[in-house]
Amino acid sequence: MARAAVNIEIGVSTPTVADLKKHLALATDQWQANFCVVPLAHPRYWRDHRRPRAEQFTRSDLVLDSNAWCRLVVGKLSPWIRLDSADEALRKQSEAAFKQEVAWAAHLNVPAVMLPPVGSDAVNYAHCVNQALLSAPHIQFWVRVPITHPPQSTAEAAGGDEDGSSGTGAWASWNRLRCLCEHAPNLGVSLELGADLPDDEAELERWLGEPSTLGLPGSPLGILREPLRAVVTPAVAYLTNKRGYPTLSRRHQAALARLLQHKPRLLVSGRADAHSEGLGAHVQYLRYLVSQRLAPSQQERPQPRAAAGESLRYEAPYYDFLQAPLQPLQDNLESQTYETFEKAGGGRGRQGALRGGDPVKYERYERAVYLYLCQRHQPGGEPAVVMVVGAGRGPLVAATLRASAASGRRVRAFAVEKNPNAVVTLRGRCATEAGWDAVTVVPGDMREWEAPRAPVLADLLVSELLGSWGDNELSPECLDGAQAPPQAGHEARAQRYLKPGGASIPTDYTSYVAPLSSSRLWNEATPSQGTRDDLAHFETQYVVKVHRMGVAPAPLALAPTHDPRPSGAIDNSRVAQLSFDVPLGGELHGFIGYFHSTLWDDGSEAVHISTEPSTESVGMFSWFPLFIPLRTPVLVPEGGRVEAAFWRNASRHRVWYEWALTEPQPSPIHNPNGRSYHIGL
């Protein structure tokens, strides 16, 4: 495509194009459009596969050079094609014309082909489209889906019936089509905002959602979930302002503004003489709306200006990008990964490092240590023994030293770290940085190090062992057994270093989970090579900054974990069976996991860090949510219920999660015995 306007491309579509070269010149030069939707054959050129006509069915490819075809033109199928017609002769003629026009589009190397609306029983339509998706994988196929009642002719064009004319029926027909086509990544929606929008706001939410990546549809936290490729605004949907120029109603403007957060292409369809200035007047109006579109979205909802700018800048490259979670005990992290967490976030996955800062996390840790010192220790008294376990390169140690200085309470700090490379950094900081003379570096695994006995047992353990789902980076395995006796050995983990009555930061953390609708993420989890039944890809949990998704109900909590833990038998296995009411139906692709953690609560002030939407730490981007996929998407009816079970399993050498859907239909138990994914101890 050509000339993007604020990263949004705007095109035009007219019923016929007599002279393609002149039409493109008019559209791109005079109307300032970026591309044109062009019929692949003359709309009235009837073809009979039994009696081929001698003349050519369309114009020559020499009309344009290859660069223009692949940048400026989107193909459109002939409107008379009826792939599900009850008339067998018409159906066969339609199939032949469909294949011929798709083959011609592939020959021209156009980037996309516009398909007509699909009816509720268009099975043969799906069959033909699926063949085209496989034979031309380099072409995007845009299914035109009217958001509400389409004209009768467009319903007939797909071979559909009146059941597909309502907003609900149109979405159900689209969903049926993509299921029959195995959620092909090159099949998308061209959503048409006609003159009338649905009266029921819930139907509007089905397509639009709020510009947010987390939350509830129908509330300020919903989200767009469909693979949106383009938004069509017919010329007949426009009003005329006092100066005689086209404008959209306020409701249309609001809907379009929300859709623009996902940067689809925009398309004006109608006759070339729809206005005295042609469709160019509509294009210029859309450009104006695009320039005004920067209303806050999920990551952009109200928050401190600096935090909003920083988090947006760092998170954007990770939108809908799946990352494998870390293996923090099994692997030694690299310097770049430490930098990611210390300064920029990156979602605790294996990919990438960013420059900048995540002020929220370390400010809150510092505040928590400060409140602890003020509550439990006196100025001028004995130093508080603080052990930072899993110290990495020392950001929590530095936060502890700052809290000590601010509170006027002295500390004696131990930095326990198993990574020998990070130990080099810690010792370097002790030698060069002010205040670090109070720090003792302990090279070793916190689960195995034998701490000196009294009087240097810890008053406070500080750790940053949380994962995207709370306990999925093995915090319980590292911090169990606060009051276990020394002879308990390896089974009584790091908290055996605590004095009786000692404290831990965090004091507790809770995992949350909610159903998720996101064909984008599900397709990302589908292997690019091999078959779709490759179990490992759908039995792995992924760290992801979700951008295009729908979350039906509010997240529910799994059992919380409290630190320090009581002494006695250690069992970190969990099981939870949860039920979610789903007011607005849709396709379920998996679940999304969050966490909420209390760092410290002194009774008058509580310090939290959270990714759970209702208590989210705005501006904190060191943790992204966790995508828990289903092997096969499931359709959830309106007012339906989603029931699922989740297991956390632990053995001596590894931890793994299993999950299964039980309602509206049972799924296989995913990842049994950790066959596809586990976290090594």
Side-chain angles (χ1 to χ4, degrees):
M1 302 290 181
R3 285 192 312 231
V6 197
N7 297 323
I8 301 291
E9 295 180 332
I10 303 176
V12 293
S13 175
T14 56
T16 60
V17 176
D19 187 318
L20 180 56
K21 186 172 287 189
K22 289 183 178 179
H23 181 77
L24 285 178
L26 173 68
T28 58
D29 295 337
Q30 185 173 328
W31 294 349
Q32 295 296 299
N34 301 108
F35 65 96
C36 296
V37 176
V38 176
L40 290 165
H42 194 285
R44 291 195 298 272
Y45 189 91
W46 183 269
R47 279 152 279 165
D48 189 338
H49 70 286
R50 296 167 299 182
R51 293 183 294 276
R53 296 168 65 168
E55 67 270 22
Q56 295 299 322
F57 77 98
T58 190
R59 59 181 70 83
S60 169
D61 58 351
L62 298 178
V63 172
L64 303 174
D65 60 31
S66 59
N67 186 48
W69 282 115
C70 69
R71 289 191 313 113
L72 301 174
V73 176
V74 168
K76 181 169 63 175
L77 293 183
S78 295
W80 58 265
I81 291 177
R82 310 280 196 276
L83 294 171
D84 283 277
S85 174
D87 184 330
E88 183 177 2
L90 176 57
R91 178 179 59 78
K92 289 186 175 181
Q93 290 165 3
S94 297
E95 289 175 354
F98 179 90
K99 292 178 181 178
Q100 185 182 41
E101 294 184 19
V102 169
W104 181 244
H107 171 74
L108 297 175
N109 198 30
V110 296
V113 171
M114 184 82 74
L115 302 178
V118 56
S120 60
D121 295 317
V123 177
N124 194 53
Y125 179 107
H127 173 256
C128 295
V129 170
N130 197 44
Q131 289 183 331
L133 292 165
L134 296 173
S135 63
H138 62 287
I139 294 179
Q140 292 288 324
F141 289 87
W142 302 348
V143 181
R144 211 174 110 236
V145 180
I147 199 168
T148 190
H149 306 280
Q152 176 70 19
S153 60
T154 59
E156 291 175 352
D161 55 32
E162 288 303 302
D163 291 340
S165 65
S166 70
T168 302
W171 181 87
S173 298
W174 150 250
N175 188 61
R176 180 183 176 89
L177 170 66
R178 67 171 166 184
C179 290
L180 289 168
C181 295
E182 292 190 285
H183 297 77
N186 54 331
L187 180 66
V189 169
S190 176
L191 186 63
E192 182 175 313
L193 300 182
D196 297 315
L197 295 179
D199 294 329
D200 186 353
E201 286 296 326
E203 291 305 324
L204 197 60
E205 295 298 329
R206 184 193 303 281
W207 292 103
L208 302 179
E210 283 291 334
S212 160
T213 62
L214 308 172
L216 315 175
S219 76
L221 297 176
I223 202 56
L224 178 76
R225 51 181 138 185
E226 304 302 335
L228 188 67
R229 302 290 184 260
V231 176
V232 182
T233 55
V236 295
Y238 287 76
L239 308 175
T240 303
N241 65 17
K242 295 179 179 179
R243 300 177 59 190
Y245 284 92
T247 184
L248 290 171
S249 70
R250 291 187 180 275
R251 195 157 179 247
H252 280 77
Q253 290 180 45
L256 188 59
R258 291 155 66 185
L259 288 167
L260 284 174
Q261 301 294 341
H262 305 278
K263 299 184 179 179
R265 295 173 178 86
L266 300 182
L267 183 64
V268 181
S269 64
R271 292 170 53 92
D273 59 358
H275 186 267
S276 60
E277 297 182 11
L279 296 180
H282 302 76
V283 171
Q284 293 307 311
Y285 175 72
L286 289 179
R287 290 203 187 283
Y288 168 76
L289 290 184
V290 167
S291 70
Q292 302 297 313
R293 85 185 197 284
L294 299 177
S297 69
Q298 168 267 12
Q299 297 86 353
E300 305 158 88
R301 63 182 181 268
Q303 53 182 286
R305 184 182 301 272
E310 290 295 292
S311 61
L312 279 171
R313 183 158 61 94
Y314 296 134
E315 292 170 353
Y318 292 93
Y319 287 167
D320 296 331
F321 177 70
L322 301 184
Q323 304 178 61
L326 293 171
Q327 294 274 0
L329 295 184
Q330 185 171 287
D331 302 330
N332 286 328
L333 303 183
E334 300 174 348
S335 176
Q336 185 183 41
T337 306
Y338 282 121
E339 182 176 340
T340 300
F341 299 144
E342 293 166 13
K343 293 188 175 181
R348 304 195 73 84
R350 292 181 175 178
Q351 305 291 331
L354 302 166
R355 297 185 181 276
D358 184 350
V360 175
K361 175 175 63 176
Y362 293 116
E363 285 177 1
R364 295 197 180 182
Y365 264 97
E366 181 180 338
R367 183 65 180 172
V369 176
Y370 172 87
L371 292 175
Y372 161 80
L373 292 173
C374 290
Q375 182 181 15
R376 298 282 187 97
H377 297 271
Q378 297 299 319
E382 289 295 317
V385 178
V386 179
M387 291 187 181
V388 180
V389 291
R393 301 195 308 181
L396 289 185
V397 178
T400 298
L401 297 177
R402 291 193 299 269
S404 170
S407 66
R409 276 75 168 174
R410 294 185 299 156
V411 299
R412 179 181 178 187
F414 289 81
V416 184
E417 175 54 48
K418 72 177 180 65
N419 185 345
N421 302 306
V423 167
V424 173
T425 304
L426 289 169
R427 285 174 170 162
R429 298 188 72 171
C430 288
T432 60
E433 295 188 24
W436 278 68
D437 53 347
V439 179
T440 301
V441 177
V442 179
D445 191 321
M446 71 183 78
R447 300 168 296 166
E448 299 173 354
W449 174 56
E450 290 295 334
R453 294 296 108 195
V456 291
L457 289 180
D459 296 295
L460 175 68
L461 281 182
V462 180
S463 64
E464 186 194 353
L465 302 171
L466 299 175
S468 293
W469 206 17
D471 57 12
N472 65 307
E473 289 191 11
L474 309 185
S475 180
E477 282 67 31
C478 295
L479 297 178
D480 277 340
Q483 298 170 351
Q487 59 268 27
H490 186 71
E491 292 302 320
R493 311 294 187 184
Q495 289 184 351
R496 60 199 165 99
Y497 312 148
L498 273 176
K499 292 178 181 177
S504 175
I505 291 177
T507 62
D508 66 62
Y509 46 93
T510 303
S511 302
Y512 287 80
V513 68
L516 168 73
S517 176
S518 175
S519 60
R520 169 72 177 270
L521 293 187
W522 192 87
N523 275 312
E524 285 292 317
T526 303
S528 57
Q529 303 293 331
T531 62
R532 286 182 178 268
D533 59 356
D534 187 336
L535 293 180
H537 291 81
F538 295 110
E539 294 189 340
T540 298
Q541 299 171 343
Y542 300 94
V543 174
V544 61
K545 184 59 180 177
V546 188
H547 188 55
R548 292 187 178 183
M549 78 170 190
V551 180
L556 296 181
L558 283 70
T561 301
H562 298 274
D563 289 322
R565 301 280 295 279
S567 60
I570 297 171
D571 182 8
N572 287 316
S573 61
R574 312 269 195 276
V575 60
Q577 299 184 50
L578 303 177
S579 179
F580 305 86
D581 293 324
V582 182
L584 185 63
E587 195 167 42
L588 178 67
H589 295 95
F591 300 88
I592 184 165
Y594 311 103
F595 77 87
H596 175 95
S597 175
T598 301
L599 297 181
W600 188 256
D601 187 347
D602 65 1
S604 60
E605 180 180 348
V607 182
H608 306 280
I609 55 174
S610 175
T611 62
E612 196 276 315
S614 66
T615 59
E616 182 185 2
S617 301
V618 176
M620 183 182 72
F621 40 92
S622 286
W623 289 275
F624 292 164
L626 196 73
F627 174 43
I628 307 165
L630 286 174
R631 196 185 305 174
T632 303
V634 173
L635 185 63
V636 181
E638 304 288 318
R641 174 171 293 183
V642 171
E643 294 183 359
F646 302 88
W647 295 267
R648 187 185 196 270
N649 304 281
S651 70
R652 188 173 182 82
H653 300 294
R654 62 182 188 150
V655 171
W656 70 95
Y657 293 85
E658 300 177 23
W659 60 96
L661 183 69
T662 56
E663 290 289 341
Q665 65 184 53
S667 73
I669 295 177
H670 291 60
N671 198 36
N673 292 328
R675 66 182 175 188
S676 298
Y677 178 76
H678 66 268
I679 308 103
L681 287 170

